[in-house]
Amino acid sequence: MPIAAVNGLRLYFERAGAGEPLLFISGTGGDLRAKPNQFDGPFPKAFDMISHDQRGLGRSDKPDVRYSMADYADDAAALMASQGWDSAHVVGVSFGGMVAQELALRHPARVRRLVLACTSPGGAGGASFPFHEIEHLKGEERAKHLTPISDTRRDDVWAAANPDLYAQIIAMTAADPYADEPGRAQGAHRQLEARADHDAWERLGEIAVPTLVAGGRYDGIALPETLERMAGRIPGAELRFYEGGHMFMIQDRAAVRDMIAFLSAPN
C-alpha cells in the first residue's frame, strides 16, 4: 500500500498519470476505496495526479484528537514534499476545497493553479451545509434528507415522478461498506468538527495564484451565492456555474473539461 509518513501520521495515497503535477483533495468522508472515484475520470489522463485519504478517513491514520483545517493543509503540503513535489496544481472539491484554501494560504509556494469546486469560505462569506448538525442521521435516513439539498431540483415532486432513479440515488448515497471499521466513526466526526470551524473569509485576498471557483447551479450544500462571494474575494478569480448540484462535476461533462483547460493554461 502506498503510505506516506507525514506529520506523525501514516497517510494512504494513490498516484497515476503523467504530465504536470496535480493534487486532488476530495470531500467529506472521502475514501479512495469508493469506486468510481477521481482516478477513474479525466484528470489522470492529463496530469500526474496524487490524491489521498485525509486524516481520519479511509486507510489513513485516525487519531482521536481535534483536527483543524490547518492540520489538513499541512498534511497535504507534507504529502507533496514526500513525493518530491515542490509545487503542484490543486483541485479541492467540497471539504477538499476548504483544505485547498488553507493550503494556498499557509503554503502559497506549493500551489501553481487552484480550482475550488462546490465549496465555501466560511465566516462572514458563508458556510456550506452544516453536516455536523445531521451527524446522527445514518444510512437511508441520511440519504433521503440530503438528496433534495445536494441537488435542489430533486424535491418530492421530482422523486414521485422518477421513482426508480430516486431509489437508485438513495441506495448509492446510503451505502457505506466500511461503516463498522474501527475508528471510522470517530475520524468522520473529527473531520466534521474541522469543517464546522472553517473560516478563510478574511484571508482570501491573500491567495495570489490563478484560481477558478466552480459549482452547480442547483447546489444546496455549497450555495451559488456563496461561491459568488468567494470568487469576488479572491483577486482575479474566475467563476463558472454548471448544470448540476453538489455533484456537478459528474452531472455536467463540461465542468472537468474546463478545469483541465484552466489548469493547463500558461501562467
Side-chain angles (χ1 to χ4, degrees), residues 105-240:
L105 290 164
R106 290 177 64 81
H107 304 276
R110 294 237 176 241
V111 182
R112 299 183 186 181
R113 281 178 165 259
L114 177 64
V115 174
L116 301 175
C118 52
T119 191
S120 302
S128 289
F129 179 83
F131 281 136
H132 58 283
E133 294 182 1
I134 61 164
E135 193 174 358
H136 62 286
L137 298 180
K138 306 296 181 184
E140 187 173 303
E141 184 181 14
R142 178 183 175 88
K144 288 182 176 179
H145 183 85
L146 283 176
T147 292
I149 299 171
S150 178
D151 189 322
T152 57
R153 297 170 296 181
R154 292 174 177 166
D155 56 13
D156 291 342
V157 174
W158 178 90
N162 300 273
D164 293 341
L165 180 55
Y166 177 70
Q168 181 182 3
I169 290 170
I170 296 302
M172 291 177 60
T173 307
D176 184 359
Y178 310 109
D180 296 330
E181 281 186 343
R184 183 169 177 84
Q186 76 181 25
H189 172 72
R190 294 302 188 182
Q191 187 189 38
L192 292 183
E193 286 181 331
R195 187 180 182 278
D197 291 342
H198 171 62
D199 183 358
W201 175 249
E202 297 295 338
R203 297 172 290 144
L204 290 180
E206 300 171 25
I207 295 178
V209 297
T211 301
L212 171 63
V213 176
R217 292 188 174 91
Y218 312 103
D219 190 347
I221 293 176
L223 300 177
E225 53 266 36
T226 303
L227 292 175
E228 290 176 355
R229 287 193 292 270
M230 183 166 60
R233 191 83 167 182
I234 299 172
E238 298 182 32
L239 173 65
R240 300 183 191 178

Side-chain angles (χ1 to χ4, degrees), residues 9-31:
L9 300 174
R10 289 162 46 86
L11 292 184
Y12 175 83
F13 72 96
E14 295 180 13
R15 183 172 181 176
E20 294 188 12
L22 170 65
L23 178 67
F24 187 105
I25 310 175
S26 53
T28 301
D31 186 328

